[in-house]
Amino acid sequence: MRTQAFWNDPRIRAWFFQILAVLVVGGFIAIIVTNTVDNLNALNVASGFGFLQHTAGFGISQTLIEYSESSSYGRAFLVALLNTLLVAGIGIFFATVVGFLVGIARLSPNWLVARLATVYIETFRNIPLLLQILFWYTAVLSNLPAPRNSLEIGSLLMNNRGLYLPAPVGEPGFGFVVAAFFIALLGIVFLRHWSQRRRIATGRGLPIMWPSLGLLFGLPLITFWLAGAPLHFEVPELRGFNFVGGLRAIPELLALVLALSIYTAAFIAEIVRSGIQAVSWGQSEAAQALGLRRTQILRLVVIPQALRVIIPPLTSQYLNLTKNSSLAAALAYPELASVFAGTVLNQTGQAIEVLTITMAVYLGLSLLTSAAMNFYNSRIALVER
Amino acid sequence: MSFVRDTYLVETPPPGMNVGVLGWLRGNLFSSASNTLLTLFGMYVLWTVVPPLIEWALLDAVWQGSGREACLVEGAGACWAFVAAKFGQFIYGTYTFEERWRVDLAFLAGALTVGLLMIERMPGRRYIAVFGLLIYPVIAYILLTGGRFGLPEVETTLWGGLLLTFVVASVGIVVSFPLGIVLALGRRSQMPVMRVLSVIYIEAWRGVPLITVLFMASVMLPLFLPAGTNFDKLLRVLIGVALFSSAYMAEVVRGGLQAIPRGQYEAASALGLGFWQANLLIIMPQALRLVIPGIVNTFIGLFKDTTLVMIVGLFDFLGSIQVNFSDANWATPQTAATGYAFAALVYWIICYSMSRYSMRLEARLNEGTRRA
């Protein structure tokens, strides 16, 4: 038997290198920590998360929850987080709608529409997002007229202070309408289930589309009418130099949403296009041969397979959009990066704590999304033998 | 009398509506009612966007002038005179005027290296690549910073404009390349510790926005080092950008590694090659060839992301344009729009040509696997 020197044994080598790696990384972290502690002591900066309870003392221009200058830093963090989620949510909605439309348009047999979609994608994808945000904010929205000469589009008002919408105000009894809506949703789920069972039993399902739509719109509308129309709209009014009442979207929010959704939509469009193209013609032809109608082919054969390709990169675009909302720091839209990692950091000087919290929030969002993604993927993945 | 025709019919041309321009129009734009509607909609979009854009950017634009008065004319469009007057600043930032030739030289050498690399039949392409990755950065560093060989020193606080944009993007990509390879190997390693460390590193950087990384680099990095070490802002930002992009690079390289069939590893082992030999001689040359398009795409992303350094107070291309909006001598309602339009045009040209290049490469790489 050939003897082997112990340093040539792969298992011993693996152990050696792993222990070495742990030592190097651990040592590196230890050096950083001691340096930081020394530096902080020398600078006399407080440490720990106690500052979250201290009074913030600054105002925030857009708050979804109650907040005043006497609120705590912790409260400011919550306000900022909600603003981040708000801009991400609106951005994701518009980016998805525009992205799907443009992606489908790019595959249109209509030459002009397909070319326009290509131009849209190639233009907005290749211009830095920050530039687009600043462009909308500085070159477009700030040049809008003053409130007195607002642009009116229906009941929307646009001026250099932002976008004003009539605010829906529910009166007592509106709760019934909301309840009716949820009952209608439940009804639809039940209907689908029932139809599926009948299809399995008899080979013929129930009509779903029209009854569902009827339920979804009919039930709340009837309740609304029975309850005596318990809803009115608060229209913004011009008082002095500004509008009062109604819903207001500040220009920073508008610029951010516009730029984020236009930019991300260009990427989503490409994802949608490649997803649809990934479903081979044979699939549609086979479905046709089975006698399915055009809408059925799309709904039952093409879209489910396209979605399998589309959804994973789509989620990562959603994540990108959420992370990119941090570019608001350039505009002073009050979200996580500008309020918390900006103002709060400058006021408290506790860089490490503040940045750790900020990064942890973004990281948490990312990990949550990718966990959900993996779950979804494992559910829809092709089951192979 | 016969019922069978004994002469050929004269061949008639196809109906005019099915060939030529008309046929194309009918087939591609007006084949059905809904298609016609779509075409009309497209024409409406074109009509609302293109003429005003041409009017603003070309017909009504002000091309010459030495101050805001030129652009304050009633109905004036883009103020290109502003761009012309500030062009030097947009390219070099506040780099010492007499020393700008050094930047030009560095740009030129860089462009030449990249240009030669893009020619596929170039003899000695490998040596050019080595020059570009190892020697060129040193030359560029000496040229740009100076302080040696009789070149006066130019502090990095003076750097700006397109120069800074290129410096941040290329340093980011060049430094992140070896880091990315190591991380990708780590992520695919059999050793659990290596794998866990790499995964944590990669996912942590990819999960946070670049802007928080830049904040971290400019605020926290000095705290991590022994008291008294003080180094300049540009270097801090460069470290942040390089660490950040190495995580993305690692994922790109991993994609390439995954595309290499097992047989290659097994064949390398059968030849008696060890881990490093197998990777350096067999796996990497194949994997890296596959990931060039991915690297170019990462570079495009990084190039666009360099605009963020503006938020931590460096004046890159976009930043130095933006900073000039506040020049009272050029304060007009069109200044901002013109500046942004110019910036958008420059970024667009650079990013679009790079993305075309990467698409062409991808097509070439697929040529071998595609069947006629």
Side-chain angles (χ1 to χ4, degrees):
Chain A
M1 194 180 128
R2 199 174 138 233
T3 51
Q4 188 183 31
F6 77 93
W7 60 82
N8 274 339
D9 182 349
R11 257 182 308 168
I12 292 178
R13 281 188 156 210
W15 273 107
F16 172 73
F17 283 120
Q18 294 189 68
I19 291 170
L20 192 70
V22 170
L23 286 180
V24 169
V25 173
F28 187 65
I29 292 174
I31 292 175
I32 285 181
V33 169
T34 42
N35 277 337
T36 312
V37 170
D38 288 350
N39 282 325
L40 288 181
N41 284 338
L43 287 170
N44 235 339
V45 177
S47 58
F49 293 93
F51 74 96
L52 287 173
Q53 266 91 47
H54 298 177
T55 312
F58 61 89
I60 296 180
S61 60
Q62 176 195 301
T63 54
L64 295 178
I65 52 173
E66 220 170 289
Y67 174 85
S68 70
E69 287 185 18
S70 54
S71 303
S72 66
Y73 284 123
R75 191 79 179 167
F77 166 73
L78 266 186
V79 171
L81 179 59
L82 285 176
N83 282 341
T84 293
L85 294 178
L86 176 76
V87 79
I90 305 177
I92 284 175
F93 174 75
F94 284 113
T96 312
V97 173
V98 177
F100 270 77
L101 284 179
V102 175
I104 293 167
R106 206 178 165 188
L107 292 174
S108 161
N110 186 312
W111 182 86
L112 185 63
V113 169
R115 284 303 136 102
L116 281 177
T118 312
V119 169
Y120 172 92
I121 294 170
E122 292 299 349
T123 308
F124 289 106
R125 186 164 84 141
N126 286 317
I127 295 176
L129 178 60
L130 184 63
L131 174 55
Q132 296 191 35
I133 292 176
L134 291 171
F135 172 79
W136 289 112
Y137 186 63
T138 320
V140 178
L141 295 175
S142 317
N143 281 345
L144 286 176
R148 280 170 179 284
N149 315 316
S150 302
L151 306 174
E152 286 187 42
I153 314 153
S155 49
L156 300 181
L157 289 166
M158 282 284 282
N159 57 47
N160 58 11
R161 305 274 181 107
L163 173 73
Y164 292 83
L165 309 159
V169 181
E171 288 157 20
F174 191 70
F176 290 117
V177 182
V178 178
F181 176 74
F182 283 107
I183 291 174
L185 280 185
L186 264 179
I188 291 172
V189 172
F190 176 71
L191 192 70
R192 286 187 66 108
H193 195 68
W194 187 24
S195 158
Q196 191 73 25
R197 287 225 332 239
R198 238 186 80 172
R199 190 194 303 279
I200 291 168
T202 67
R204 209 164 257 283
L206 296 165
I208 285 191
M209 179 85 168
W210 291 111
S212 302
L213 282 178
L215 209 58
L216 193 63
F217 290 101
L219 200 61
L221 273 179
I222 293 170
T223 332
F224 186 70
W225 178 68
L226 282 179
L231 179 77
H232 71 271
F233 283 94
E234 190 192 81
V235 183
E237 283 172 59
L238 187 65
R239 292 224 190 103
F241 292 108
N242 222 337
F243 280 96
V244 181
L247 281 177
R248 175 182 172 221
I250 54 175
E252 288 84 6
L253 175 66
L254 289 181
L256 209 54
V257 165
L258 261 174
L260 280 174
S261 33
I262 289 177
Y263 180 78
T264 315
F267 290 90
I268 293 181
E270 277 297 88
I271 291 169
V272 170
R273 180 190 61 84
S274 66
I276 295 176
Q277 280 181 335
V279 183
S280 70
W281 278 112
Q283 294 287 326
S284 314
E285 285 165 2
Q288 249 171 356
L290 285 176
L292 297 187
R293 272 177 276 129
R294 250 186 81 82
T295 47
Q296 282 179 319
I297 295 176
L298 267 182
R299 197 163 54 86
L300 300 173
V301 177
V302 177
I303 292 179
Q305 297 189 66
L307 279 185
R308 187 180 286 147
V309 182
I310 290 174
I311 300 252
L314 185 66
T315 0
S316 79
Q317 283 305 322
Y318 287 168
L319 259 181
N320 279 347
L321 190 147
T322 312
K323 283 188 284 175
N324 283 335
S325 70
S326 60
L327 294 192
L331 286 190
Y333 170 76
E335 52 71 77
L336 218 48
S338 67
V339 168
F340 202 62
T343 317
V344 172
L345 193 153
N346 286 336
Q347 284 199 6
T348 60
Q350 291 188 272
I352 298 195
E353 290 84 349
V354 169
L355 282 175
T356 309
I357 295 177
T358 315
M359 290 173 118
V361 168
Y362 284 111
L363 195 58
L365 284 176
S366 300
L367 293 180
L368 261 179
T369 318
S370 54
M373 202 55 256
N374 287 340
F375 175 71
Y376 174 83
N377 253 343
S378 63
R379 268 198 52 186
I380 64 159
L382 276 178
V383 183
E384 288 180 50
R385 268 161 296 162
Chain B
M1 192 172 125
S2 77
F3 294 95
V4 181
R5 210 186 167 91
D6 51 8
T7 52
Y8 283 109
L9 269 176
V10 180
E11 208 174 285
T12 47
M17 287 299 281
N18 284 346
V19 287
V21 179
L22 273 183
W24 183 86
L25 282 177
R26 211 171 82 142
N28 290 295
L29 297 178
F30 303 103
S31 59
S32 65
S34 57
N35 212 345
T36 309
L37 266 179
L38 274 178
T39 305
L40 290 178
F41 170 73
M43 281 155 111
Y44 172 75
V45 170
L46 275 181
W47 177 248
T48 47
V49 174
V50 175
L53 197 66
I54 292 180
E55 239 165 59
W56 179 82
L58 300 174
L59 302 181
D60 293 343
V62 179
W63 299 88
Q64 283 171 335
S66 53
R68 62 199 291 259
E69 291 76 22
C71 295
L72 278 178
V73 192
E74 189 66 31
C79 185
W80 297 119
F82 163 71
V83 174
K86 302 283 183 181
F87 192 74
Q89 274 195 51
F90 294 169
I91 303 295
Y92 308 100
T94 45
Y95 204 87
T96 323
F97 192 81
E98 296 74 40
E99 306 297 326
R100 282 183 182 175
W101 62 270
R102 281 154 51 179
V103 181
D104 293 335
L105 198 62
F107 268 147
L108 201 71
L112 201 68
T113 316
V114 173
L116 287 178
L117 270 179
M118 279 168 66
I119 302 172
E120 264 140 43
R121 297 261 165 101
M122 192 67 208
R125 223 169 144 214
R126 178 176 304 192
Y127 300 104
I128 303 176
V130 170
F131 172 81
L133 283 176
L134 297 178
I135 304 173
Y136 175 72
V138 178
I139 297 177
Y141 175 77
I142 293 171
L143 263 179
L144 293 177
T145 52
R148 286 181 201 80
F149 306 114
L151 294 172
E153 195 179 337
V154 182
E155 281 186 38
T156 56
T157 45
L158 297 176
W159 298 17
L162 203 57
L163 162 69
L164 192 76
T165 296
F166 271 115
V167 166
V168 175
S170 18
V171 170
I173 216 76
V174 170
V175 175
S176 69
F177 187 55
L179 272 178
I181 292 179
V182 171
L183 285 166
L185 286 175
R187 194 168 183 166
R188 283 171 59 82
S189 164
Q190 308 280 325
M191 301 183 229
V193 172
M194 303 295 183
R195 206 164 53 230
V196 168
L197 287 178
S198 308
V199 169
I200 291 178
Y201 181 93
I202 293 171
E203 294 306 327
W205 286 120
R206 274 160 38 99
V208 296
L210 178 57
I211 186 73
T212 55
V213 176
L214 292 179
F215 278 147
M216 195 185 101
S218 59
V219 184
M220 271 161 82
L221 213 53
L223 291 178
F224 289 162
L225 297 168
T229 35
N230 196 7
F231 58 104
D232 71 86
K233 204 178 204 168
L234 178 62
L235 187 57
R236 290 196 299 236
V237 165
L238 285 177
I239 293 175
V241 167
L243 293 179
F244 180 78
S245 56
S246 66
Y248 285 84
M249 193 61 101
E251 287 298 273
V252 171
V253 175
R254 185 166 72 112
L257 289 176
Q258 272 173 346
I260 306 296
R262 267 191 90 78
Q264 297 289 328
Y265 288 92
E266 285 159 2
S269 303
L271 286 176
L273 300 181
F275 174 81
W276 289 110
Q277 282 174 317
N279 268 301
L280 283 178
L281 299 173
I282 310 287
I283 307 301
M284 277 301 161
Q286 300 182 67
L288 293 185
R289 220 173 83 87
L290 288 179
V291 297
I292 294 175
I295 294 174
V296 177
N297 286 339
T298 314
F299 185 74
I300 297 174
L302 186 62
F303 191 78
K304 287 188 290 177
D305 278 346
T306 52
T307 47
L308 303 198
V309 300
M310 193 173 103
I311 296 175
V312 290
L314 289 177
F315 295 103
D316 70 320
F317 185 55
L318 182 60
S320 46
I321 291 178
Q322 170 116 347
V323 116
N324 275 303
F325 294 162
S326 51
D327 182 350
N329 188 30
W330 283 101
T332 75
Q334 297 298 340
T335 307
T338 312
Y340 288 137
F342 176 66
L345 191 68
V346 171
Y347 279 112
W348 188 82
I349 290 174
I350 296 173
C351 294
Y352 182 72
S353 44
M354 282 195 293
S355 82
R356 287 272 111 179
Y357 175 68
S358 112
M359 276 155 98
R360 222 191 63 200
L361 270 182
E362 230 163 317
R364 272 192 61 85
L365 284 175
N366 287 336
E367 232 156 50
T369 52
R370 203 174 51 207
R371 285 185 198 153

